[in-house]
Each structure stands twice: as C-alpha cells, then as structure tokens.
Amino acid sequence: MDQQDSSRLKQILKNRRDKLAEYVDAGKDPFQITKFERDNNAENIKDNYAEFEGKEVTIAGRLMSKRNMGKVSFGHLADRDGQIQVFAKRDEMGDDEYARFKKLDIGDIVGITGAVFTTESGEISVRVAKATLLSKSLRPLPEKFHGLSDTDTRYRQRYVDLIMNSEVKKTFINRSKIIASIRSYLNERDFLEVETPMLVSNAGGASARPFETHFNALDEDFKLRISLELYLKRLIVGGFERVYEIGRVFRNEGLDTRHNPEFTLMELYQAYTDYHGMMDLTEDLYRHVAQDVLGTTTITYNGIEMDLSKPFERITMVDAVKKYSGVDFNEIHTLEEARAVAKEHHIEYEQRHKKGDILNLFFEEYAEEHLIQPTFVMDHPIEISPLTKKKPENPEYVERFEFFMNGWEMANAYSELNDPIDQRERFKAQEEALAQGDEEANTTDEDFMNALEIGMPPTGGIGFGIDRMCMLLTDSPAIRDVLLFPTMKPLEK
C-alpha cells in the first residue's frame, strides 16, 4: 500500500468512527442492540413477488452498494440467500431519518422495514420506511470493481471473501450439502455415526507423520490422529456391524493444491463384506451425492467431463503399470530384478524399498495421471498395505483398492486384516521400516492387537477424502478453496 492509499484508508477509518460516535451521542448505539426481528429475506421476496407486492416486510443484511441522489437514495442489501434493492426517499422518511440513511456506509449491517414494489427500471425493491443500523462497519470492504482477487488475502480473510464473492459462498453451501448427503445415504443403510479420539498415544492406520503434543495433566506425550481406522475397527469388534465417522485428521506434511495438514476424512467399516462390497458402495455413493447435490451424475472439473453413470473401471495395480509403462511386474520375481527395471526407467528408490514398494513407485510415476474417469485400482503389494488381508491365491498382494478420479486418489479401501497373528507380523515389519528411516511407518498398537485377539469378523473398510470430493463436485482448483479456514504461513511481523 503506497502512502496515498494509506492516508486515504486512515481518513476512511476516522470518518466511520466519527459516524459511530454520532450514533452513540444520539442514543442509537448499534452495538447495544441485542436482537432484530425480521420476517423475510431477499430471495423469498423476489421469488414470490406477486405475493409481496405492496406489502410491508422487515429484512436485515449487509449494505453492499449505495447511491445518494439528493432527495432519493438507492442501495442493495445482502442477506444469507441473496440481495435486494432498497429505495429511500426523503419526503417519505422525513428529514432526520433520511439523513441518517444517507450516512450509512457500504458494509454496515442494517434492518429495513418498508413496502415491496418494482422500480421504473423493473427491479424488485423495498421502499424504506425505517432503517435501523444494527452494526457499524468500521473497516471498508474491498473496492466494488476490483473486488477481493488476491488469493492469499481471500484465504486469510475468508469472512471478507464470503461477503464479496457469491460463488465462494455457493461452494461452501454445496460442501455442507455434500456432507449431509453422505450422512443421509449411510444412515439410510443402517450405518451408525460415531466419534473417536483425536488425541491418541499411538497414531496408526495410515502412512503419515503425526503432530505431537504434551498432555500436562498426565505428563504424557500424545499425538493428533492421522486416521480413524483403528478405533472404528475396535467398534466392529465390539459388535457395531456398520459404523462411520466424518472428522478432522492431522498429518505433519507439506502444503499444496491437494494437501492441508488438517483435513476432513470419512471412514466406514462394514462387517461381513470385503473390498468388492466397498467398491459397490463407493460407486453408488458417488452417484447418489452428485445427483442429490448437483442434479446430475456428469460432472465437469477444470473443463474435463467425468461420467459417474457408467460402471467404474476396475484394474489391478500390476495391469495399470503394465498399461502405462510397459513393465509387467508379473514377470519380475526378485528384488534385484525390480531394482534393475527401476534404474532402466529412472525411478528413484531407497535401499529399504522392496519389490512391492518399487511397483508402487512405478504406479505413481506412470499410471496415476491417466486415471481421469472413475477407476478402482486393485490388489496392491503387501509391503505398502500393513492392515489389509492377503489375496489367498497370491499372498504377495492384498485385497485393497484405491479409487481415482481426475488423476487423484479419492478413496482407499481394504478387506480388513482380522488375523491377529498376521497383523503382529505386519506391525513388526513396519517397525523395522521405521528403524530404517521411514518416518511414516506404523508402530504396534497393543490395545488394537488385543481387540483383534478378542475377534473381528470379516470386514470391508474405506476412507474417503471429503475435501477432494468437494473439490471435484464444486470445480474448485485447490483444497484451500473448499476449506473455510485453510492452514496459512504466518504473516511476517
């Protein structure tokens, strides 16, 4: 901000405080008002004009524009659902009331009582009989024609972003509808919504670095959860055969267009089914939510059309790598062969990586970006799937799938490992990986092992990234566009 702009802003701030002082001196301090009874809103009046024409209404909202034209003034009042024009005339309001109306600033929150009519230009309006200042805006909104376009400021001051950009408000309304639609779908299918701990002593269930904190009352270190999985499985052990949770999880990782350190995850578990059952549920759920919220099963993201009405493609990870890289891991039988083919294709790997890890590196390098239409990638290597049942006919692989759209992983699902002997061996392998430098590896959760030894039925489970789902269904370019208050680097002081 240059010196001239800074000086202008200081004058605006002073003028607004002076106006507030006038209201206070006149015994009309807006901040002393505790409630305001309104009987209508902008969109309802405009949608049902024939019903309201000539009738008196009381509305309230933020003044978004104002034009003073001598004895008459116009403005637009915005409430939660929309905007409506307000028309004030000195001869109808009286000198004092009209003078106070003229002094209102853009951004002020105002209550208006008056009759509904249509102006000569055909705009539905409210003729102001009385205007009540309910909250004085002491800081100006961004300029009308420049708006709030700086993305950093939009994310840091989301409250202003919502005021200035109606499309942003629509995005978050649709986000709420998406989550409500998911809940409705699952509740109708006899799933029970539950809540599990966020502060945990062992942050397992995913490959991610946790945030750590200290609990003073117990003098113990705790972690913020990275997943919902292990507690929800405990509930399956306890006899809740269908459970789900929608909640925040926390991963100590970087920021980019698809990652935020705290994000919303939905996990569900269903006894007596497997990963094929989870595929069927995922396919049906995505269609249901898109139709329910958007009114269509064909969505467009960044100009690319994706059709949810067709059967989702199902392909194994080995076949996907073969299709897009030409490398057939069915023909690769040893770690040495896997390392050799990785070097040929300039795939960087670590010494701790095994054959299955290298297969996954090939998949990430060659296949992911091509998975635009809804696709289930199945049968992952056991090395990267410590909580998943082996495929009986091929124990190097597990009954797992990842769901992809737009080249993004949208969901991750298993036939859940319920063999406590096998699970302990998997945890042991994870701890060895941790010792070798894998900071995202799991450690043994003894209470979870105790639960498995009590006995867990065959179970299918899945985790959905709610934020990415919202990005696709609202055509939002970055995860920050679907998080009301995304994590931001602190401003330098």
Side-chain angles (χ1 to χ4, degrees):
M1 183 182 295
D2 60 30
Q3 187 172 355
Q4 185 176 359
D5 286 340
S6 178
S7 177
R8 179 169 173 266
L9 176 60
K10 287 181 180 178
Q11 187 59 50
I12 291 172
L13 297 178
K14 181 180 183 302
N15 288 345
R16 292 197 174 204
R17 280 164 172 75
D18 289 344
K19 289 181 182 180
L20 174 62
E22 289 180 26
Y23 270 88
V24 172
D25 291 343
K28 296 181 179 292
D29 183 353
F31 299 119
Q32 294 297 315
I33 297 173
T34 58
K35 61 185 288 189
F36 183 81
E37 297 288 349
R38 54 183 179 172
D39 58 27
N40 240 293
N41 63 71
E43 286 302 295
N44 188 48
I45 293 168
K46 291 192 291 185
D47 290 345
N48 301 282
Y49 175 71
E51 178 184 336
F52 286 104
E53 183 179 12
K55 293 184 179 178
E56 186 176 88
V57 295
T58 297
I59 57 176
R62 190 179 298 274
L63 195 61
M64 297 301 296
S65 70
K66 191 164 74 76
R67 289 177 295 143
N68 294 326
M69 302 169 64
K71 297 181 180 181
V72 297
S73 297
F74 294 87
H76 282 88
L77 199 72
D79 57 25
R80 187 190 70 174
D81 298 314
Q83 292 190 18
I84 193 167
Q85 181 170 266
V86 294
F87 169 81
K89 192 172 183 180
R90 188 185 68 181
D91 293 346
E92 295 174 355
M93 296 183 68
D95 290 344
D96 292 343
E97 283 290 332
Y98 183 69
R100 276 194 287 270
F101 182 88
K102 285 183 66 176
K103 286 187 176 181
L104 293 173
D105 289 307
I106 292 173
D108 287 349
I109 296 175
V110 185
I112 298 289
T113 297
V116 177
F117 77 110
T118 303
T119 63
E120 292 181 2
S121 63
E123 184 168 359
I124 297 172
S125 307
V126 175
R127 189 184 300 273
V128 181
K130 183 180 180 182
T132 305
L133 180 63
L134 302 173
S135 180
K136 182 64 187 170
S137 176
L138 297 178
R139 184 170 292 272
L141 296 174
E143 291 182 38
K144 178 180 177 182
F145 295 106
H146 292 90
L148 185 65
S149 57
D150 178 71
T151 53
D152 189 76
T153 304
R154 286 181 51 225
Y155 298 145
R156 293 183 188 278
Q157 298 182 25
R158 181 68 82 188
Y159 43 91
V160 181
D161 191 23
L162 293 167
I163 293 169
M164 300 303 297
N165 298 314
S166 60
E167 286 302 309
V168 171
K169 182 182 285 188
K170 182 179 178 182
T171 292
F172 287 104
I173 290 171
N174 278 341
R175 179 190 171 102
S176 181
K177 290 179 179 178
I178 288 165
I179 294 173
S181 184
I182 292 170
R183 282 195 166 100
S184 174
Y185 177 92
L186 294 175
N187 292 344
E188 288 175 2
R189 285 155 183 79
D190 207 25
F191 280 86
L192 180 71
E193 184 174 12
V194 298
E195 295 175 302
T196 60
M198 290 190 182
L199 278 176
V200 295
S201 56
N202 188 325
S207 297
R209 290 178 60 189
F211 288 94
E212 298 182 2
T213 187
H214 186 77
F215 186 13
N216 292 335
L218 296 181
D219 194 24
E220 292 283 345
D221 290 334
F222 277 74
K223 300 177 177 67
L224 292 175
R225 66 185 182 186
I226 60 173
S227 169
L228 312 175
E229 180 167 347
L230 300 186
Y231 280 99
L232 292 178
K233 284 183 179 178
R234 286 169 168 90
L235 298 180
I236 294 290
V237 171
F240 287 157
E241 296 181 357
R242 298 186 181 208
V243 294
Y244 76 97
E245 181 173 6
I246 299 174
R248 284 293 176 104
V249 296
F250 309 86
R251 298 183 182 180
N252 201 345
E253 57 189 18
L255 296 163
D256 61 31
T257 57
R258 283 184 282 160
H259 294 89
N260 193 74
E262 58 173 312
F263 62 96
T264 302
L265 185 64
M266 191 272 283
E267 291 195 29
L268 67 87
Y269 294 84
Q270 179 179 340
Y272 309 110
T273 191
D274 62 1
Y275 75 142
H276 292 290
M278 292 296 102
M279 285 186 227
D280 294 340
L281 184 148
T282 301
E283 196 164 334
D284 193 48
L285 173 62
Y286 259 76
R287 287 192 191 113
H288 168 85
V289 172
Q291 185 66 49
D292 189 29
V293 177
L294 304 179
T296 179
T297 54
T298 300
I299 64 173
T300 301
Y301 184 82
N302 195 26
I304 299 172
E305 192 173 278
M306 286 165 268
D307 189 352
L308 299 172
S309 67
K310 298 176 181 178
F312 295 3
E313 182 182 359
R314 303 187 182 196
I315 187 172
T316 67
M317 180 178 281
V318 169
D319 287 344
V321 168
K322 181 179 178 181
K323 179 177 180 180
Y324 295 109
S325 75
V327 177
D328 187 355
F329 268 76
N330 284 324
E331 302 300 322
I332 296 173
H333 304 290
T334 66
L335 176 57
E336 289 71 25
E337 291 173 346
R339 286 176 172 175
V341 76
K343 289 177 181 177
E344 288 175 18
H345 288 76
H346 308 289
I347 299 291
E348 295 185 7
Y349 62 87
E350 299 176 27
Q351 281 301 114
R352 63 182 175 82
H353 282 153
K354 297 182 171 59
K355 173 188 165 186
D357 297 296
I358 294 173
L359 168 62
N360 187 54
L361 292 173
F362 266 86
F363 173 75
E364 291 174 349
E365 178 68 25
Y366 284 100
E368 279 191 7
E369 63 181 323
H370 298 287
L371 306 177
I372 304 302
Q373 297 301 320
T375 304
F376 295 118
V377 177
M378 308 179 297
D379 302 349
H380 292 49
I382 192 170
E383 292 89 343
I384 63 169
S385 310
L387 296 161
T388 316
K389 275 193 172 185
K390 298 174 185 175
K391 291 183 69 65
E393 70 278 12
N394 190 353
E396 288 187 6
Y397 296 89
V398 297
E399 294 191 347
R400 173 184 174 186
F401 74 79
E402 290 175 299
F403 173 50
F404 282 84
M405 287 180 67
N406 193 50
W408 303 347
E409 179 199 338
M410 305 297 296
N412 185 23
Y414 314 148
S415 295
E416 302 296 336
L417 179 58
N418 63 341
D419 178 348
I421 298 171
D422 189 358
Q423 182 65 79
R424 188 171 289 280
E425 289 300 313
R426 306 276 193 96
F427 275 141
K428 182 179 178 181
Q430 285 284 295
E431 290 185 342
E432 290 173 358
L434 183 66
Q436 293 174 20
D438 184 355
E439 295 180 332
E440 296 183 347
N442 287 195
T443 57
T444 304
D445 186 326
E446 289 296 343
D447 184 71
F448 175 66
M449 290 304 309
N450 186 70
L452 284 190
E453 290 177 2
I454 295 293
M456 186 174 85
T459 298
I462 189 166
F464 287 89
I466 296 296
D467 305 305
R468 291 186 188 177
M469 185 181 194
C470 291
M471 286 173 66
L472 278 185
L473 295 182
T474 62
D475 197 12
S476 297
I479 191 171
R480 290 179 176 181
D481 295 310
V482 296
L483 297 175
L484 280 167
F485 301 102
T487 303
M488 302 291 291
K489 181 179 179 180
L491 291 170
E492 294 182 5
K493 295 182 179 179

